[in-house]
Amino acid sequence: MVQTTPSKVDLAEKFGQFCDHWAPRIVARYNDNEVRLAKAEGDFQWHSHTDSDELFLVVSGTLTMEFRGHTEVLEQGQMIVVPRGTEHRPRALNGEVQMVIIDPKDTANTGDPATATKAIDL
Amino acid sequence: MVQTTPSKVDLAEKFGQFCDHWAPRIVARYNDNEVRLAKAEGDFQWHSHTDSDELFLVVSGTLTMEFRGHTEVLEQGQMIVVPRGTEHRPRALNGEVQMVIIDPKDTANTGDPATATKAIDL
């Protein structure tokens, strides 16, 4: 994925290259951030990221983002920033969700490297 | 735009709230980055950002991103990272483009604070 000249990334094409859920793929990097794609179905676990905010942008499907005492339901073209230290549980309750997630590099998707599914280059 | 509880951002709704071109609006912040929306028509100027990469994601329209000796044409759902120090010229040659741009906070859209259109909160 090392690029000598800048080249575009087609999100739909990249989503077509993997099938597993809650297993982030890195499609670009900028300023020590990773642009990750993930497919989701069912529940992820409650977790938080101590030191970094996290950005979610829904590309297809319906993403339910639970917070303690508060829920946001996101459709295509909607995004949310989860502030650092904020417990959240992403859920895909109505079929598959495709989403872009932006994190600082090496961020553990569960908030804990011991339990994380490591983001890998696509 | 200060939020006490995380709430979603609807990109289409936000794009509906302004009309001017090449004038970025900030719709979210995370980790000292700004998520900016911009509408574009015609040519922007050649410029670069010395110290930061810049991410573009096309939401609608056709964005032509010129580099010295190389051009990428981006449609809806396609993104590109312009590496720091890389001269580029964004162009919207076939009608209006709507795009998400992510920059570190206070990044000058022209690469030079003296000529920039300052990104403002929407």
Side-chain angles (χ1 to χ4, degrees):
Chain A
M1 211 196 61
V2 173
Q3 293 166 354
T4 50
T5 52
S7 60
K8 67 181 175 184
V9 173
D10 186 290
L11 298 185
E13 180 192 327
K14 294 292 187 184
F15 276 116
Q17 293 178 15
F18 66 101
C19 297
D20 45 345
H21 295 136
W22 306 113
R25 299 311 201 271
I26 302 168
V27 296
R29 292 180 167 82
Y30 77 102
N31 294 338
D32 290 328
N33 287 275
E34 292 171 353
V35 180
R36 303 173 174 186
L37 304 189
K39 292 183 174 182
E41 208 168 76
D43 289 354
F44 200 61
Q45 62 201 78
W46 281 102
H47 69 286
S48 64
H49 305 281
T50 308
D51 298 320
S52 68
D53 309 331
E54 186 169 51
L55 186 154
F56 292 81
L57 170 65
V58 174
V59 173
S60 71
T62 302
L63 176 68
T64 298
M65 186 66 78
E66 288 190 353
F67 302 98
R68 299 297 186 186
H70 172 65
T71 296
E72 293 282 308
V73 179
L74 285 78
E75 309 283 349
Q76 180 178 5
Q78 298 183 328
M79 54 161 283
I80 196 166
V81 174
V82 178
R84 59 192 65 192
T86 302
E87 282 191 294
H88 59 289
R89 175 165 69 158
R91 313 179 75 184
L93 301 175
N94 299 301
E96 188 175 83
V97 172
Q98 297 185 348
M99 54 191 169
V100 177
I101 305 172
I102 303 183
D103 284 300
K105 67 176 178 184
D106 299 329
T107 296
N109 67 335
T110 58
D112 178 359
T115 60
T117 299
K118 186 170 167 52
I120 57 176
D121 283 349
L122 190 61
Chain B
M1 211 197 58
V2 174
Q3 292 167 353
T4 51
T5 53
S7 60
K8 67 182 175 183
V9 173
D10 186 289
L11 298 184
E13 179 193 327
K14 294 294 187 182
F15 277 117
Q17 293 178 16
F18 66 101
C19 297
D20 45 345
H21 295 136
W22 307 112
R25 300 312 202 270
I26 302 167
V27 296
R29 292 180 168 81
Y30 77 102
N31 295 338
D32 291 329
N33 287 275
E34 293 171 353
V35 180
R36 303 173 174 185
L37 304 188
K39 293 184 173 180
E41 208 167 77
D43 289 353
F44 200 62
Q45 63 201 78
W46 281 103
H47 69 287
S48 63
H49 305 281
T50 308
D51 298 320
S52 68
D53 309 330
E54 185 170 51
L55 186 155
F56 292 81
L57 170 64
V58 174
V59 174
S60 71
T62 302
L63 176 67
T64 299
M65 186 66 77
E66 288 190 353
F67 301 98
R68 298 299 185 184
H70 172 65
T71 296
E72 293 282 309
V73 179
L74 285 77
E75 308 284 350
Q76 179 178 5
Q78 298 183 329
M79 52 162 286
I80 196 165
V81 173
V82 178
R84 61 192 63 193
T86 302
E87 282 192 294
H88 59 289
R89 175 167 68 158
R91 313 179 75 183
L93 301 174
N94 299 303
E96 187 175 84
V97 173
Q98 297 184 348
M99 54 190 169
V100 177
I101 305 171
I102 303 184
D103 283 300
K105 68 177 178 182
D106 299 330
T107 296
N109 68 334
T110 57
D112 178 357
T115 58
T117 299
K118 186 171 168 50
I120 57 175
D121 282 347
L122 190 61

PDB file of all heavy atoms in Angstrom, chain B residues 99-114:
ATOM      1  N   MET B  99     -17.576  17.674  -1.029  1.00  0.00           N
ATOM      2  CA  MET B  99     -16.516  16.798  -0.510  1.00  0.00           C
ATOM      3  C   MET B  99     -16.268  17.030   0.964  1.00  0.00           C
ATOM      4  O   MET B  99     -16.543  18.096   1.494  1.00  0.00           O
ATOM      5  CB  MET B  99     -15.222  16.999  -1.303  1.00  0.00           C
ATOM      6  CG  MET B  99     -14.751  18.431  -1.380  1.00  0.00           C
ATOM      7  SD  MET B  99     -13.387  18.625  -2.577  1.00  0.00           S
ATOM      8  CE  MET B  99     -13.301  20.436  -2.688  1.00  0.00           C
ATOM      9  N   VAL B 100     -15.755  15.969   1.591  1.00  0.00           N
ATOM     10  CA  VAL B 100     -15.261  16.025   2.959  1.00  0.00           C
ATOM     11  C   VAL B 100     -13.747  16.176   2.883  1.00  0.00           C
ATOM     12  O   VAL B 100     -13.085  15.478   2.113  1.00  0.00           O
ATOM     13  CB  VAL B 100     -15.601  14.732   3.725  1.00  0.00           C
ATOM     14  CG1 VAL B 100     -15.016  14.758   5.130  1.00  0.00           C
ATOM     15  CG2 VAL B 100     -17.107  14.510   3.769  1.00  0.00           C
ATOM     16  N   ILE B 101     -13.217  17.096   3.673  1.00  0.00           N
ATOM     17  CA  ILE B 101     -11.771  17.305   3.733  1.00  0.00           C
ATOM     18  C   ILE B 101     -11.369  17.221   5.203  1.00  0.00           C
ATOM     19  O   ILE B 101     -12.007  17.836   6.055  1.00  0.00           O
ATOM     20  CB  ILE B 101     -11.375  18.679   3.155  1.00  0.00           C
ATOM     21  CG1 ILE B 101     -11.918  18.838   1.728  1.00  0.00           C
ATOM     22  CG2 ILE B 101      -9.856  18.861   3.182  1.00  0.00           C
ATOM     23  CD1 ILE B 101     -11.761  20.252   1.163  1.00  0.00           C
ATOM     24  N   ILE B 102     -10.346  16.452   5.493  1.00  0.00           N
ATOM     25  CA  ILE B 102      -9.877  16.375   6.877  1.00  0.00           C
ATOM     26  C   ILE B 102      -8.460  16.920   6.962  1.00  0.00           C
ATOM     27  O   ILE B 102      -7.568  16.510   6.215  1.00  0.00           O
ATOM     28  CB  ILE B 102      -9.948  14.940   7.423  1.00  0.00           C
ATOM     29  CG1 ILE B 102     -11.394  14.415   7.305  1.00  0.00           C
ATOM     30  CG2 ILE B 102      -9.503  14.901   8.883  1.00  0.00           C
ATOM     31  CD1 ILE B 102     -11.617  13.037   7.893  1.00  0.00           C
ATOM     32  N   ASP B 103      -8.316  17.884   7.855  1.00  0.00           N
ATOM     33  CA  ASP B 103      -7.052  18.584   8.053  1.00  0.00           C
ATOM     34  C   ASP B 103      -6.797  18.738   9.547  1.00  0.00           C
ATOM     35  O   ASP B 103      -7.743  18.822  10.334  1.00  0.00           O
ATOM     36  CB  ASP B 103      -7.140  20.023   7.485  1.00  0.00           C
ATOM     37  CG  ASP B 103      -7.045  20.104   5.989  1.00  0.00           C
ATOM     38  OD1 ASP B 103      -6.022  19.680   5.451  1.00  0.00           O
ATOM     39  OD2 ASP B 103      -8.001  20.618   5.367  1.00  0.00           O
ATOM     40  N   PRO B 104      -5.538  18.847   9.936  1.00  0.00           N
ATOM     41  CA  PRO B 104      -5.274  19.295  11.302  1.00  0.00           C
ATOM     42  C   PRO B 104      -5.909  20.676  11.520  1.00  0.00           C
ATOM     43  O   PRO B 104      -6.030  21.460  10.570  1.00  0.00           O
ATOM     44  CB  PRO B 104      -3.746  19.397  11.352  1.00  0.00           C
ATOM     45  CG  PRO B 104      -3.266  18.481  10.276  1.00  0.00           C
ATOM     46  CD  PRO B 104      -4.308  18.565   9.195  1.00  0.00           C
ATOM     47  N   LYS B 105      -6.288  20.941  12.758  1.00  0.00           N
ATOM     48  CA  LYS B 105      -6.975  22.210  13.026  1.00  0.00           C
ATOM     49  C   LYS B 105      -6.144  23.398  12.558  1.00  0.00           C
ATOM     50  O   LYS B 105      -4.923  23.380  12.620  1.00  0.00           O
ATOM     51  CB  LYS B 105      -7.291  22.339  14.521  1.00  0.00           C
ATOM     52  CG  LYS B 105      -6.098  22.492  15.421  1.00  0.00           C
ATOM     53  CD  LYS B 105      -6.541  22.685  16.869  1.00  0.00           C
ATOM     54  CE  LYS B 105      -5.334  22.790  17.797  1.00  0.00           C
ATOM     55  NZ  LYS B 105      -5.718  22.921  19.193  1.00  0.00           N
ATOM     56  N   ASP B 106      -6.871  24.385  12.066  1.00  0.00           N
ATOM     57  CA  ASP B 106      -6.292  25.654  11.631  1.00  0.00           C
ATOM     58  C   ASP B 106      -5.447  25.561  10.364  1.00  0.00           C
ATOM     59  O   ASP B 106      -4.752  26.519  10.007  1.00  0.00           O
ATOM     60  CB  ASP B 106      -5.450  26.305  12.752  1.00  0.00           C
ATOM     61  CG  ASP B 106      -6.281  26.610  13.993  1.00  0.00           C
ATOM     62  OD1 ASP B 106      -7.495  26.870  13.829  1.00  0.00           O
ATOM     63  OD2 ASP B 106      -5.737  26.577  15.105  1.00  0.00           O
ATOM     64  N   THR B 107      -5.486  24.424   9.675  1.00  0.00           N
ATOM     65  CA  THR B 107      -4.770  24.331   8.401  1.00  0.00           C
ATOM     66  C   THR B 107      -5.350  25.344   7.408  1.00  0.00           C
ATOM     67  O   THR B 107      -6.563  25.441   7.243  1.00  0.00           O
ATOM     68  CB  THR B 107      -4.904  22.907   7.822  1.00  0.00           C
ATOM     69  OG1 THR B 107      -4.262  21.989   8.705  1.00  0.00           O
ATOM     70  CG2 THR B 107      -4.273  22.801   6.442  1.00  0.00           C
ATOM     71  N   ALA B 108      -4.484  26.081   6.755  1.00  0.00           N
ATOM     72  CA  ALA B 108      -4.905  27.066   5.741  1.00  0.00           C
ATOM     73  C   ALA B 108      -5.245  26.335   4.449  1.00  0.00           C
ATOM     74  O   ALA B 108      -4.415  25.560   3.947  1.00  0.00           O
ATOM     75  CB  ALA B 108      -3.789  28.073   5.501  1.00  0.00           C
ATOM     76  N   ASN B 109      -6.449  26.577   3.912  1.00  0.00           N
ATOM     77  CA  ASN B 109      -6.868  25.786   2.745  1.00  0.00           C
ATOM     78  C   ASN B 109      -6.018  26.058   1.510  1.00  0.00           C
ATOM     79  O   ASN B 109      -5.947  25.226   0.609  1.00  0.00           O
ATOM     80  CB  ASN B 109      -8.370  25.973   2.462  1.00  0.00           C
ATOM     81  CG  ASN B 109      -8.747  27.349   1.988  1.00  0.00           C
ATOM     82  OD1 ASN B 109      -8.054  28.336   2.283  1.00  0.00           O
ATOM     83  ND2 ASN B 109      -9.863  27.446   1.282  1.00  0.00           N
ATOM     84  N   THR B 110      -5.355  27.208   1.498  1.00  0.00           N
ATOM     85  CA  THR B 110      -4.469  27.527   0.370  1.00  0.00           C
ATOM     86  C   THR B 110      -3.016  27.167   0.675  1.00  0.00           C
ATOM     87  O   THR B 110      -2.132  27.399  -0.151  1.00  0.00           O
ATOM     88  CB  THR B 110      -4.509  29.032   0.068  1.00  0.00           C
ATOM     89  OG1 THR B 110      -4.133  29.733   1.269  1.00  0.00           O
ATOM     90  CG2 THR B 110      -5.884  29.475  -0.374  1.00  0.00           C
ATOM     91  N   GLY B 111      -2.758  26.684   1.875  1.00  0.00           N
ATOM     92  CA  GLY B 111      -1.391  26.419   2.293  1.00  0.00           C
ATOM     93  C   GLY B 111      -0.720  27.635   2.896  1.00  0.00           C
ATOM     94  O   GLY B 111       0.408  27.547   3.379  1.00  0.00           O
ATOM     95  N   ASP B 112      -1.418  28.777   2.861  1.00  0.00           N
ATOM     96  CA  ASP B 112      -0.837  30.037   3.333  1.00  0.00           C
ATOM     97  C   ASP B 112      -1.911  30.830   4.086  1.00  0.00           C
ATOM     98  O   ASP B 112      -2.914  31.242   3.485  1.00  0.00           O
ATOM     99  CB  ASP B 112      -0.354  30.845   2.122  1.00  0.00           C
ATOM    100  CG  ASP B 112       0.220  32.208   2.506  1.00  0.00           C
ATOM    101  OD1 ASP B 112       0.196  32.570   3.704  1.00  0.00           O
ATOM    102  OD2 ASP B 112       0.656  32.931   1.592  1.00  0.00           O
ATOM    103  N   PRO B 113      -1.721  31.056   5.375  1.00  0.00           N
ATOM    104  CA  PRO B 113      -2.746  31.774   6.150  1.00  0.00           C
ATOM    105  C   PRO B 113      -3.093  33.147   5.558  1.00  0.00           C
ATOM    106  O   PRO B 113      -4.215  33.634   5.736  1.00  0.00           O
ATOM    107  CB  PRO B 113      -2.106  31.918   7.533  1.00  0.00           C
ATOM    108  CG  PRO B 113      -1.108  30.810   7.621  1.00  0.00           C
ATOM    109  CD  PRO B 113      -0.589  30.621   6.218  1.00  0.00           C
ATOM    110  N   ALA B 114      -2.162  33.741   4.855  1.00  0.00           N
ATOM    111  CA  ALA B 114      -2.409  35.085   4.313  1.00  0.00           C
ATOM    112  C   ALA B 114      -3.458  35.083   3.212  1.00  0.00           C
ATOM    113  O   ALA B 114      -4.133  36.092   2.983  1.00  0.00           O
ATOM    114  CB  ALA B 114      -1.098  35.688   3.785  1.00  0.00           C
TER     115      ALA B 114
END
